[in-house]
Amino acid sequence: MTKQSFDPIAEAIADVEGVPEAFAEAFRAPDGDRKPRELVIICYSGDLEKTWASLILASTAAASGTPTRMFLTFWGLQAFVKDEVRITGQSWMQKMLAFMQRPGISHRKLSKMNFMGMGPWMMGTLAKQYGVAKPKELLEAAMALGVELMPCQMTMDMFGLKRSDMIDGMGEPVGAATVIELLANGAAPLFI
Amino acid sequence: MTVLDIAVQVDARGLSCPMPIVRTAQAVRPLAAGALVEVLATDPGSQRDFVAWCRATGHDLVEQTTEGTVHRFVIRRK
């Protein structure tokens, strides 16, 4: 018995390791420059901790020269309603949902240990103590660095959200097909 | 020691990830190519983050020093 019998595995590893180079070749622009890989963060959750993580990654990616987009859908879109807008929607159900979970970047709840707002308050206090930027500050930085915000048209319709309910600087509403095209063209996806 | 011609200083002392990088990116953006930026940070992670960030953006990390808890970076804009 020689080491020869393990060669198929080594070959398989070599095959896999060869893939990134092939991808890099495929994405090289005609002039020989590498096309920077884009990032699409699909913001599905409106929970405080997940919105926070999305904005940390988005602002850092934009700061590092990565073209970055945030697709805001379902509860993720609620975080990008203006802070001062209290109730959104037209029907009683849409209004009731907004009442049950207040929209806006400064009104996020923790998915765990919310305790009627005690959790977020403690998180906010600790963030201040340790110099951690709050979601609102990160959002402002992300937008200043050119992060594109893409609201989901379907979510806007379902929750009865108007363009005027949204924060300023929001892009045009789009659908899933726009996101899929970006991913098909090589953008890195993050689903948060 | 040579005296560097620093165009902008970013004081990120007391700030946590990712604000030292975010603030630096915002400070670097309007500058001319070749301009120098000095960053002061107390975030221990910044020691590795600024090396990675310079690699990602193509800016040149000219100097990296630590005095006590303060990390100092001098970056030349691409």
Side-chain angles (χ1 to χ4, degrees):
Chain A
M1 197 78 177
T2 61
K3 269 185 157 184
Q4 212 67 34
S5 57
F6 292 103
D7 270 6
I9 296 169
E11 276 171 28
I13 290 168
D15 278 353
V16 171
E17 283 176 347
V19 167
E21 197 44 53
F23 267 111
E25 200 60 48
F27 289 120
R28 230 183 285 280
D31 60 2
D33 280 343
R34 268 169 206 265
K35 190 178 162 189
R37 193 169 184 191
E38 299 186 4
L39 176 66
V40 177
I41 304 178
I42 300 164
C43 302
Y44 172 82
S45 168
D47 294 333
L48 171 61
E49 72 275 19
K50 296 188 188 79
T51 305
W52 214 330
S54 299
L55 288 166
I56 288 170
L57 292 168
S59 57
T60 307
S64 304
T66 301
T68 306
R69 293 183 176 89
M70 298 176 94
F71 177 63
L72 315 169
T73 188
F74 284 90
W75 307 109
L77 185 56
Q78 311 299 315
F80 295 84
V81 167
K82 284 178 185 138
D83 266 340
E84 59 273 21
V85 172
R86 182 66 189 86
I87 299 292
T88 53
Q90 286 81 51
S91 74
W92 72 266
M93 263 194 251
Q94 290 168 338
K95 287 177 182 168
M96 192 71 191
L97 280 169
F99 177 76
M100 285 154 66
Q101 163 92 68
R102 184 169 180 179
I105 195 74
S106 303
H107 309 294
R108 300 295 85 211
K109 290 178 181 172
L110 286 170
S111 65
K112 293 190 178 105
M113 301 181 291
N114 195 63
F115 287 105
M116 311 276 289
M118 267 297 274
W121 176 80
M122 287 193 282
M123 288 284 280
T125 306
L126 287 171
K128 199 169 187 179
Q129 200 176 326
Y130 288 92
V132 178
K134 290 205 183 157
K136 192 179 168 70
E137 189 183 346
L138 289 164
L139 173 59
E140 283 161 7
M143 291 177 80
L145 287 165
V147 172
E148 191 187 328
L149 301 177
M150 307 191 301
C152 167
Q153 179 70 65
M154 174 276 285
T155 305
M156 287 181 68
D157 295 344
M158 192 170 73
F159 286 97
L161 296 168
K162 300 189 293 288
R163 292 295 294 273
S164 57
D165 292 330
M166 306 291 183
I167 57 166
D168 296 329
M170 189 78 95
E172 288 295 314
V174 298
T178 301
V179 178
I180 295 301
E181 194 207 3
L182 289 167
L183 300 185
N185 287 335
L190 285 176
F191 186 93
I192 302 179
Chain B
M1 188 179 162
T2 52
V3 179
L4 294 169
D5 188 14
I6 305 288
V8 178
Q9 196 190 51
V10 178
D11 187 358
R13 286 176 293 181
L15 299 181
S16 273
C17 167
M19 290 322 272
I21 292 286
V22 169
R23 290 275 171 263
T24 304
Q26 287 176 314
V28 163
R29 189 169 274 200
L31 301 179
L36 294 175
V37 178
E38 183 184 51
V39 184
L40 299 178
T42 47
D43 170 23
S46 66
Q47 290 177 88
R48 289 190 64 160
D49 283 352
F50 274 95
V51 175
W53 181 74
C54 285
R55 264 202 306 264
T57 54
H59 301 312
D60 192 13
L61 185 55
V62 182
E63 273 185 41
Q64 180 175 5
T65 52
T66 300
E67 258 180 65
T69 57
V70 179
H71 308 294
R72 177 175 167 273
F73 308 91
V74 178
I75 294 152
R76 179 176 284 115
R77 194 200 200 287
K78 184 174 67 169

